[in-house]
Amino acid sequence: MKTKKILGFVFAMLAVLSLSSCSSEEDNEDKVEQVTIYVSEEPGVYYDMWLDPEKENPIEGMQIWENKTQTWQIVSFYAIKGFTYECGNEYELLVKKTTLATPPHVRYELIRIISQRKVE
C-alpha cells in the first residue's frame, strides 16, 4: 500500500513537471530588434547580484534608458558592443538588441550614434 502511494506521488510530480516545462516555440527563440538607447552624461552605480548579494561593492557603469519607456538602468561600461562611453557626454544610440532565450540575458551592439552632446 505504501509503495502505491509513493508511486502515485512520483507519477503526479512527473506529470506536473512535464506540464510546467512545456512552452511555446516562441519562448525558446532569441529576439532581435533595433532600439534607440539614451545614455546619460553621468555614470551610476550598480551591484553584481551574484558576486555581491550584500551590496557591499558598488560598480560604476553607464545609465541607459531604452526608447524613453523605462526608468534609467545602470549597466557595465562595456554593455554595448562597439560603443565607448565618455563621461560628460549624453548619447542617443541606435543599437541591435538581442534578448537571449536561454539563459535570459540581453545583449546590445552599436549600429550608429544618432547624437552626442557634451553636457557642461
Side-chain angles (χ1 to χ4, degrees):
M1 188 64 144
K2 199 173 195 180
T3 305
K4 279 187 174 182
K5 284 185 178 182
I6 292 173
L7 287 176
F9 177 75
V10 169
F11 179 73
M13 291 304 295
L14 287 173
V16 168
L17 288 174
S18 67
L19 290 174
S20 66
S21 67
C22 292
S23 62
S24 69
E25 282 275 325
E26 193 174 290
D27 292 343
N28 294 325
E29 293 181 12
D30 295 346
K31 180 180 175 186
V32 179
E33 58 188 321
Q34 286 187 10
V35 297
T36 301
I37 298 285
Y38 300 88
V39 182
S40 173
E41 74 278 5
E42 295 180 14
V45 172
Y46 69 100
Y47 299 89
D48 185 312
M49 64 184 221
W50 300 109
L51 299 176
D52 187 20
E54 303 298 320
K55 296 185 176 181
E56 296 173 345
N57 302 298
I59 302 168
E60 194 172 55
M62 60 184 163
Q63 296 186 75
I64 65 171
W65 193 4
E66 185 180 320
N67 293 331
K68 292 197 174 191
T69 59
Q70 302 177 353
T71 59
W72 289 99
Q73 63 182 42
I74 302 158
V75 298
S76 164
F77 289 123
Y78 308 104
I80 302 173
K81 184 178 177 183
F83 175 68
T84 302
Y85 176 78
E86 292 179 29
C87 188
N89 290 290
E90 64 181 21
Y91 301 88
E92 181 179 358
L93 309 174
L94 182 62
V95 299
K96 177 174 89 171
K97 177 184 178 182
T98 305
T99 305
L100 303 174
T102 309
H105 181 69
V106 176
R107 290 188 192 157
Y108 296 104
E109 184 175 344
L110 180 67
I111 296 172
R112 69 182 169 93
I113 297 174
I114 297 169
S115 68
Q116 175 179 352
R117 184 174 72 91
K118 181 78 173 165
V119 177
E120 301 296 324

